[in-house]
Amino acid sequence: MTVHHLNQLLLVCSLVLLIAVAAVRISSRSGLPSLLVYLGIGVLMGQDGIGDIHFDNAELTQVIGYAALVVILAEGGLGTKWKEVEPVLASASMLALAGVGVSVGVTAAGAHYLVGLEWRQALIIGAVVSSTDAAAVFSVLRRIPLPARVTGTLEAESGFNDAPVVILVVALSTAGPVEHWYVLVGEIAMELAIGAGIGLAVGWLGSWGLRHVALPASGLYPIAVMAIAVTAYAAGALAHGSGFLAVYLASMVLGNAKLPHWPATRGFAEGLGWIAQIGMFVLLGLLVTPHELGDDIVPALVIGLALTMVARPLSVVVSLAPFRVPWREQTLMSWAGLRGAVPIILATIPMVNGVDTSHRIFNIVFVLVVVYTLVQGPTLPWLAGKLRLGEGPEAADLGIESAPLERLRGHLLSVSIPEGSRMHGVEINELRLPAGAAVTLVVREGKSFVPLPATVLRRGDELLVVATDPVRDAAERRLRAVGHGGKLA
């Protein structure tokens, strides 16, 4: 590649990114997951589109897809709140394990008996499409005001179920006879255990280090957090464990550790997540050949119908039976099993391994994902409303950023009071911060002043709160409590 080629590549990539960013606005208004827009951009750039770019490297697509998935899972884990996941950890794990098993079996049976695929091909398709996509779930669910139990279960499931599905697809795509089911189950359990152990250990060590080491620049914290998350994936994969589970758990630990400069870290991770999604979906759109999809549309619709109307609801009912989840929540979870880039990426594994009719498997999965995402994504808010699961507007959470004051053994908390916060109208002395914490400065409409105990806080104010190290967490909890409850807190 010459400098001239680099200039052309940078121009094309920057234009694609700008178009993709503009498309997010369109997708947010229409309710369509943005992945469909990105796939469409890739198809338009491909050999059947206006770009006429010929790209058929499945192995490169798989490698880039894995790298993008690591970033997406890291971003999702950083945004997952432990208080929402903890009560539903058992049910989400059941959905990611037993639910996947039920879904694979039912979908494979449908592909075999209804479409006529051989059992190996049917099982591969069943395994590929049984993984809900983290990017699709995170992007859609976080725009819908659902109960915390539903959101937490679905987000945790999408973060957990990639690991067993990847192991299944690799095993089914390997040449030679498939291992006995009990050997495969044991292998899955071992890889999940290794990945979980490494992810939790790396996340804890990383969060401990970042909380006790004051870096010289705030911009280094986001880089360090993402590096720790990727370290968890690489260490888990090299230890023959589940790297995907490791990166998700490590990121979840980091995301709930109250690290310094957290809003900046969260924004950096979100930006990387968007770049990963855009690049991954555009590349998958380039890989597909639209004129070859015609013969696979009907089989894809039939298999998708079996997956959506039978396999997914049955897996939800079986997995959640021990937890007495209300039927309305089970109904929404059945419909909210969104597919996205993950199944399409997994469909490249048979292509790389040279499985017979692997191109047909890829085409069926591609059509299935596009059609059923187009149907399920926009209808989720409507279904939540019909089931009366949409919650009313909550008090907006405070934006709190922490910077360590190493020499003073304290922290400087920057607190933003957003619209909708119930801290509006509260006096400084009513905050009742713990001893060792105090509001030292208020910035209002661009002007700063030292507050008095009777100073009334307003929406849009920014506060500087100094807290000693022992009471930092208590001060933050108190501020958030007042932000949600107002004077009643």
Side-chain angles (χ1 to χ4, degrees):
M1 177 179 289
T2 64
V3 173
H4 179 67
H5 292 148
L6 175 64
N7 295 337
Q8 292 177 327
L9 181 63
L10 290 176
L11 177 62
V12 172
C13 290
S14 60
L15 290 176
V16 169
L17 281 175
L18 288 173
I19 294 171
V21 170
V24 174
R25 181 67 176 173
I26 300 173
S27 66
S28 63
R29 286 185 174 182
S30 63
L32 293 175
S34 53
L35 67 92
L36 294 179
V37 180
Y38 305 151
L39 282 172
I41 293 174
V43 171
L44 285 175
M45 294 173 60
Q47 56 183 316
D48 287 353
I50 57 177
D52 195 30
I53 298 175
H54 291 259
F55 178 79
D56 58 359
N57 193 331
E59 188 171 4
L60 178 61
T61 303
Q62 179 185 333
V63 171
I64 295 178
Y66 270 44
L69 186 55
V70 169
V71 175
I72 292 169
L73 285 171
E75 190 272 328
L78 292 173
T80 300
K81 297 179 181 178
W82 175 247
K83 65 181 181 181
E84 295 181 0
V85 172
E86 184 182 14
V88 299
L89 192 59
S91 57
S93 300
M94 283 292 291
L95 271 174
L97 297 173
V100 163
V102 173
S103 181
V104 171
V106 174
T107 306
H112 177 71
Y113 291 110
L114 299 179
V115 179
L117 296 179
E118 297 179 359
W119 270 115
R120 192 185 195 101
Q121 299 168 355
L123 285 168
I124 290 175
I125 290 180
V128 164
V129 299
S130 292
S131 173
T132 55
D133 183 68
V137 171
F138 295 149
S139 63
V140 172
L141 290 184
R142 291 178 183 176
R143 298 200 306 264
I144 305 174
L146 294 175
R149 178 166 62 178
V150 175
T151 303
T153 301
L154 291 172
E155 288 191 3
E157 179 205 6
S158 67
F160 293 159
N161 64 11
D162 290 340
V165 167
V166 169
I167 299 169
L168 272 177
V169 175
V170 171
L172 293 169
S173 301
T174 303
V178 180
E179 294 179 314
H180 295 294
W181 67 269
Y182 51 85
V183 176
L184 197 55
V185 170
E187 182 180 347
I188 291 174
M190 182 183 69
E191 293 196 18
L192 292 178
I194 294 173
I198 291 177
L200 293 173
V202 171
W204 184 86
L205 289 172
S207 62
W208 183 88
L210 289 176
R211 285 172 63 92
H212 289 82
V213 176
L215 298 177
S218 60
L220 294 175
Y221 284 92
I223 298 173
V225 167
M226 293 304 297
I228 293 169
V230 176
T231 298
Y233 167 80
L238 291 174
H240 301 288
S242 172
F244 293 121
L245 182 59
V247 67
Y248 184 73
L249 290 178
S251 301
M252 191 188 302
V253 173
L254 291 166
N256 290 272
K258 297 179 182 177
L259 300 177
H261 301 290
W262 180 244
T265 300
R266 189 74 186 91
F268 179 79
E270 189 174 358
L272 286 182
W274 278 112
I275 292 177
Q277 288 186 52
I278 293 169
M280 178 172 60
F281 291 131
V282 170
L283 193 63
L284 291 171
L286 279 173
L287 185 63
V288 73
T289 307
H291 72 262
E292 296 179 353
L293 299 177
D295 295 336
D296 299 315
I297 293 177
V298 173
L301 295 177
V302 172
I303 296 173
L305 199 61
L307 170 68
T308 306
M309 305 307 294
V310 182
R312 174 65 182 180
L314 186 60
S315 67
V316 170
V317 171
V318 171
S319 302
L320 301 183
F323 304 101
R324 298 182 180 179
V325 178
W327 69 268
R328 292 185 302 165
E329 295 183 8
Q330 292 192 40
T331 302
L332 187 68
M333 291 182 195
S334 299
W335 191 246
L338 300 176
R339 272 72 193 173
V342 173
I344 304 177
I345 292 171
L346 296 180
T348 63
I349 295 177
M351 298 174 68
V352 174
N353 291 352
V355 175
D356 292 339
T357 66
S358 58
H359 280 83
R360 190 186 185 198
I361 292 174
F362 180 85
N363 291 340
I364 289 175
V365 172
F366 186 89
V367 173
L368 186 155
V369 168
V370 170
V371 172
Y372 286 93
T373 301
L374 190 62
V375 172
Q376 289 175 279
T379 55
L380 262 181
W382 173 85
L383 181 61
K386 288 295 182 180
L387 295 173
R388 298 180 181 178
L389 288 175
E391 295 181 338
E394 296 182 350
D397 198 6
L398 298 175
I400 301 180
E401 182 171 355
S402 171
L405 304 173
E406 189 175 28
R407 294 181 59 188
L408 301 179
R409 294 183 56 81
H411 294 267
L412 181 65
L413 306 180
S414 174
V415 183
S416 300
I417 304 179
E419 293 291 331
S421 172
R422 294 196 177 116
M423 191 177 283
H424 175 80
V426 175
E427 296 181 5
I428 292 290
N429 62 346
E430 292 176 325
L431 293 176
R432 296 186 181 177
L433 295 174
V439 179
T440 59
L441 196 70
V442 175
V443 181
R444 179 177 296 167
E445 297 179 352
K447 298 180 179 180
S448 59
F449 59 92
V450 177
L452 299 173
T455 299
V456 179
L457 299 175
R458 302 295 182 194
R459 298 184 186 94
D461 285 354
E462 293 186 15
L463 317 179
L464 290 183
V465 180
V466 174
T468 58
D469 194 59
V471 302
R472 177 257 171 128
D473 290 344
E476 185 171 336
R477 284 195 300 270
R478 180 62 187 162
L479 289 167
R480 293 193 186 278
V482 178
H484 281 283
K487 294 190 176 187
L488 292 178

